Amino acid sequence: MPILPDWINFNFPTKIHFEVDCGFKMGNFIKNIGSRAVILSTQSELENMDEFSIIKTSLEKHIDGVILYDNIEKEPTLKDLDTAAYFARISNANCIIGYGSFESLNTAKLVALLANNDSFAEEVFISKKALRLKKPIPLVLIPTHPVMGLECAPISTVYMDEDRTVRYFSHEYLFPEMVIADAKISAFMTSADVAKVGVGILAAAVDSILSKYSNELTNSSSLRAIEIIYKNLVPAIRDPKNLQYKNSIFGASLLVGMSHSSSSLGLCYALSLAASNLTNLDVFQAMSILLPHVMEYNLTSSAGKYVMIAKALDEDITNISVIEAAIKAVEGIRKIYIELKIPQRLSEYEVRKIDLPGIASLASSFPFLDSLPRELPKNEIETILVAAF
């Protein structure tokens, strides 16, 4: 399921500012986008308040109004989205700013779209009825740490009110106007945080490469992201306060997001989104656990692409067959896991075997699975989960 019309090979309209310690400049950037801003952040992701205060002060110097909306505790319900959109409307906001991690940025994308349309969240994101949507309120996203490219890709998740089951939604109107990536904001991250986020970026890059909608442009972006993670992740974990290494990881995440704008996420993300919805795993942990197992499943159908991944991981593939080189890609990923001591089993995170059919069923419902290089029946999804258990 390509996000863009299938006659477009690549499109990335988002402006990016990528600089360490630029919080005091953000008002100067955003004044050209809007003069009245609502900052959206979930309560659980409103982190690094020192840097947030610097950003808010900068905004107040350059624009007419800044309001923080943090009434949503964690994942937003449809009602939460409607309430936040109504707040943005009555505030006369002409700019939405998302500050935080996965859920905060996701919420900001959806609210920016809803606030400029006369429809409820259920009608836009859940109903199968086709709606003619207006362009959203201009959106600026400020990630507190890299989120696997989702900070700049037109992708979001929506939670059903009645059973809290996650749904997937993508639309070209979800592209943010600007992403500001400042590694200093992520100073609160521990070595464990850096590890799971970095491997999550690695998994998202592989997903994009394996998509049948990938092309030379998207592959180049994702392969460069893999190279950057391979070279910088271990140093960043050993020295989590070193902003140079963290900055590189932010850059890798942005490159993956550019790739996803025209390619697609795939099986690893589908399984991870479902697992994080139905268990205590977060999406980054799930991506890191499931990546090697997904790669093993797709090895024979995407051997040529695996050769490119092996090269990006600096594996020696001279004088060996394509299949042997493809195996080197999986081995390269596992070497990283061994060095970082990353768990490779779902059971290590207290996921129960009884949860696996539900994860498989939810994962199989996501529409972007039609981007996979080979057809994937639900029973084979369960087989991958059992192997990862």
Side-chain angles (χ1 to χ4, degrees):
M1 188 188 82
I3 293 162
L4 300 168
D6 60 5
W7 60 86
I8 298 175
N9 294 121
F10 190 82
N11 179 52
F12 187 73
T14 300
K15 303 178 184 75
I16 289 179
H17 189 81
F18 179 42
E19 179 186 5
V20 176
D21 194 14
C22 65
F24 65 97
K25 300 179 182 178
M26 290 193 189
N28 197 45
F29 304 147
I30 292 171
K31 71 179 183 182
N32 298 311
I33 294 173
S35 57
R36 289 183 60 83
V38 170
I39 303 175
L40 283 166
S41 182
T42 63
Q43 294 170 20
S44 62
E45 294 179 356
L46 189 55
E47 298 172 294
N48 198 338
M49 293 306 294
D50 290 341
E51 281 300 312
F52 180 80
S53 296
I54 292 170
I55 292 167
K56 192 166 183 290
T57 300
S58 177
L59 289 168
E60 288 167 344
K61 286 180 181 177
H62 289 89
I63 63 177
D64 297 334
V66 184
I67 306 171
L68 171 63
Y69 185 89
D70 61 350
N71 291 4
I72 300 171
E73 185 179 352
K74 293 175 75 176
E75 305 94 345
T77 63
L78 297 174
K79 185 177 179 181
D80 288 335
L81 293 173
D82 287 330
T83 303
Y86 176 73
F87 180 84
R89 285 191 208 105
I90 63 172
S91 303
N92 293 318
N94 55 19
C95 178
I96 301 292
I97 301 172
Y99 176 91
S101 183
F102 186 88
E103 294 300 346
S104 298
L105 305 187
N106 178 65
T107 301
K109 290 179 188 178
L110 301 175
V111 170
L113 183 59
L114 282 174
N116 216 30
N117 284 276
D118 299 322
S119 302
F120 292 109
E122 184 171 7
E123 295 174 289
V124 176
F125 307 128
I126 305 300
S127 173
K128 293 182 180 178
K129 179 182 174 183
L131 295 173
R132 181 166 293 189
L133 296 173
K134 300 175 189 173
K135 288 187 177 181
I137 292 176
L139 172 67
V140 177
L141 297 182
I142 305 170
T144 51
H145 62 69
V147 286
M148 307 181 297
L150 299 175
E151 61 267 49
C152 57
I155 298 164
S156 63
T157 51
V158 182
Y159 295 85
M160 301 292 287
D161 282 345
E162 63 272 13
D163 61 3
R164 305 296 294 130
T165 302
V166 68
R167 295 284 186 93
Y168 172 88
F169 179 77
S170 63
H171 195 283
E172 60 184 307
Y173 283 172
L174 294 185
F175 274 116
E177 182 83 10
M178 177 182 284
V179 173
I180 303 173
D182 179 358
K184 191 179 178 188
I185 297 174
S186 69
F188 63 90
M189 292 176 71
T190 64
S191 292
D193 293 331
V194 175
K196 72 178 183 180
V197 167
V199 177
I201 295 167
L202 198 62
V206 172
D207 252 6
S208 177
I209 292 167
L210 295 182
S211 169
K212 69 183 182 185
Y213 299 117
S214 66
N215 56 51
E216 288 186 4
L217 292 170
T218 62
N219 284 343
S220 296
S221 183
S222 289
L223 288 167
R224 180 59 182 146
I226 291 171
E227 290 175 0
I228 291 170
I229 293 295
Y230 173 72
K231 291 175 182 175
N232 291 277
L233 183 55
V234 172
I237 290 166
R238 289 176 179 162
D239 186 6
K241 299 299 181 186
N242 188 312
L243 295 182
Q244 176 187 342
Y245 298 128
K246 274 191 183 171
N247 192 51
S248 296
I249 294 171
F250 266 91
S253 185
L254 293 169
L255 286 168
V256 172
M258 292 177 193
S259 179
H260 290 158
S261 68
S262 301
S263 179
S264 173
L265 285 156
L267 179 56
C268 196
Y269 184 63
L271 291 171
S272 301
L273 200 54
S276 64
N277 185 218
L278 300 176
T279 71
N280 290 326
L281 281 172
D282 68 42
V283 70
F284 302 99
Q285 292 166 333
M287 290 285 275
S288 66
I289 294 168
L290 292 163
L291 174 60
H293 305 282
V294 169
M295 288 186 72
E296 286 174 350
Y297 174 80
N298 285 314
L299 193 147
T300 54
S301 62
S302 303
K305 291 183 175 182
Y306 278 45
V307 174
M308 296 190 295
I309 295 169
K311 288 179 181 177
L313 293 169
D314 205 24
E315 290 290 321
D316 183 4
I317 57 171
T318 54
N319 301 320
I320 59 176
S321 70
V322 171
I323 290 296
E324 288 172 322
I327 292 169
K328 287 273 191 180
V330 182
E331 289 177 351
I333 295 292
R334 290 204 181 275
K335 284 178 191 174
I336 294 171
Y337 280 46
I338 291 167
E339 184 167 4
L340 301 181
K341 298 179 180 176
I342 293 174
Q344 297 184 50
R345 297 288 168 191
L346 292 169
S347 54
E348 294 180 65
Y349 284 96
E350 299 181 2
V351 176
R352 303 169 302 168
K353 206 162 191 176
I354 197 173
D355 296 325
L356 303 187
I359 295 171
S361 181
L362 180 56
S364 66
S365 72
F366 296 132
F368 58 88
L369 283 189
D370 73 355
S371 71
L372 300 182
R374 57 188 285 198
E375 191 176 345
L376 185 65
K378 181 171 166 285
N379 65 312
E380 292 196 34
I381 296 180
E382 283 194 46
T383 299
I384 296 167
L385 290 169
V386 170
F389 184 75

